[in-house]
Amino acid sequence: MSDCIFCKIIHGEIPSKKIYEDEELCAFHDVTPQSPVHFLLIPKRHIRNIMEAEMNDTALLGRLLYKAQELAVTLGCGENGARFVINCKKDGGQTVDHLHIHVLGGRYFDWPPG
Ligand code: DGP
């Protein structure tokens, strides 16, 4: 989608610190990190949010989740764990309308969120 920040990152039109990329997925460090490890993993196809995923997307969503934990382990979160977050729409605090999972690690996160 032409005016989507994350689509522009995928196409290299906006610089980013990429961690991983394959034919379906792309991961890069968050520009405003909230913890020592904070990256975003996204599908390359423009899906606006998790609630717009379709039945046909279940394999992609499975890969997204699997790759998120794999990258978290690679970045040193294997022992202490991490927070995996998907914000959705206004009440979920989503600010970029391209499905993404936040992976946050390297420090403790309280629960419930504020
Ligand atoms: P959310 O609130 O879940 O929609 O989070 C969007 C995240 O995207 C937020 O933590 C900041 C990050 N972000 C926004 N613009 C950019 C950008 O241009 N580059 C990178 N790397 N991250 C961005």
Side-chain angles (χ1 to χ4, degrees), residues 5-6 9 14-16 28-32 38 40 87 93-96 100 102:
I5 293 171
F6 288 176
I9 285 177
I14 292 179
S16 69
F28 48 91
H29 291 287
D30 195 291
V31 77
T32 53
H38 184 180
L40 305 171
N87 296 326
Q94 184 176 8
T95 58
V96 178
H100 52 281
H102 292 256

Side-chain angles (χ1 to χ4, degrees), residues 26-108:
C26 181
F28 48 91
H29 291 287
D30 195 291
V31 77
T32 53
Q34 303 301 312
S35 51
V37 175
H38 184 180
F39 67 87
L40 305 171
L41 178 64
I42 67 175
K44 286 188 169 175
R45 184 154 58 79
H46 185 84
I47 300 172
R48 283 172 61 85
N49 59 61
I50 190 68
M51 289 179 176
E52 292 200 8
E54 297 177 354
M55 194 64 172
N56 283 345
D57 297 323
T58 53
L60 176 65
L61 296 178
R63 281 206 68 225
L64 188 79
L65 204 49
Y66 183 80
K67 185 55 72 177
Q69 66 76 28
E70 195 176 60
L71 291 173
V73 170
T74 301
L75 292 180
C77 301
E79 188 171 340
N80 288 341
R83 180 69 56 87
F84 299 79
V85 175
I86 298 177
N87 296 326
C88 183
K89 300 190 188 180
K90 181 165 66 73
D91 282 358
Q94 184 176 8
T95 58
V96 178
D97 289 335
H98 183 130
L99 172 61
H100 52 281
I101 180 163
H102 292 256
V103 180
L104 302 117
R107 73 169 173 90
Y108 174 76

